[in-house]
Amino acid sequence: LTLYDILKEDNTLDLFDKIRIIKQLIKATKYLHDTNIIHRDIKSKNILFSKKDMTLKLSDFGLSSYNNDYNYLTSSKGTYLYKDPHFKNKYMDIYSIGVIITELFCDFKTEMERVKTLSDLKINKIPNKLPKLLIEIIRLCICSDITKRYTIDNLNNVFLEYNNII
């Protein structure tokens, strides 16, 4: 079961489930970054869940790179909606997480609405129907200014604090 399947069928995830998914995704990505691996293709179809306890599993490492292999990172491969238009380094995974957060919290009526909304992130257009805190988190995941964009550690800390807000 993928996150894409869950969201496409019937997005009935409650706030607790959505935050749990984000935290697990951050933890998986942090592990990769701490071991010098950039996934490069984080998307809802590559986020799997075990049937037993809904534990998140990140899959499809076909585009991953190890130790900032910049020759490989210059490749234009990846999934358009989730691909960072600004960077070809570990920050590209942060951009993808920002897209996933948007996807989790927006209730899309059609696939075209989903594509349009996620495409708009590339020009820093975030749906204003989201809570202000989430808009700020997404903004700092997709920011084109590398000095302002979250690192995986920043993002991890934000969601550790998020428990105190919800």
Side-chain angles (χ1 to χ4, degrees), residues 60-98:
D60 192 354
F61 288 82
L63 296 179
S64 297
S65 64
Y66 177 71
N67 205 18
N68 290 329
D69 180 358
Y70 291 107
N71 292 326
Y72 192 69
L73 290 174
T74 58
S75 165
S76 62
K77 294 179 180 175
T79 305
Y80 174 77
L81 291 176
Y82 302 86
K83 191 165 68 168
D84 188 341
H86 309 292
F87 302 107
K88 303 276 188 266
N89 55 29
K90 64 185 175 184
Y91 289 97
M92 62 199 322
D93 287 345
I94 305 302
Y95 181 91
S96 301
I97 293 171

Side-chain angles (χ1 to χ4, degrees), residues 11-94:
N11 188 355
T12 57
L13 296 170
D14 63 21
L15 179 61
F16 175 80
D17 289 332
K18 291 174 184 181
I19 299 301
R20 184 173 173 262
I21 289 168
I22 294 166
K23 289 170 101 174
Q24 287 185 74
L25 178 57
I26 290 168
K27 184 177 180 182
T29 306
K30 182 172 172 23
Y31 176 79
L32 292 175
H33 289 192
D34 287 349
T35 56
N36 294 318
I37 296 171
I38 303 169
H39 188 281
R40 300 185 66 231
D41 199 21
I42 295 174
K43 60 184 178 181
S44 56
K45 289 183 179 179
N46 287 342
I47 297 172
L48 310 176
F49 295 94
S50 64
K51 288 184 179 182
K52 181 179 177 184
D53 60 2
M54 290 301 287
T55 299
L56 182 143
K57 307 286 184 189
L58 200 50
S59 69
D60 192 354
F61 288 82
L63 296 179
S64 297
S65 64
Y66 177 71
N67 205 18
N68 290 329
D69 180 358
Y70 291 107
N71 292 326
Y72 192 69
L73 290 174
T74 58
S75 165
S76 62
K77 294 179 180 175
T79 305
Y80 174 77
L81 291 176
Y82 302 86
K83 191 165 68 168
D84 188 341
H86 309 292
F87 302 107
K88 303 276 188 266
N89 55 29
K90 64 185 175 184
Y91 289 97
M92 62 199 322
D93 287 345
I94 305 302

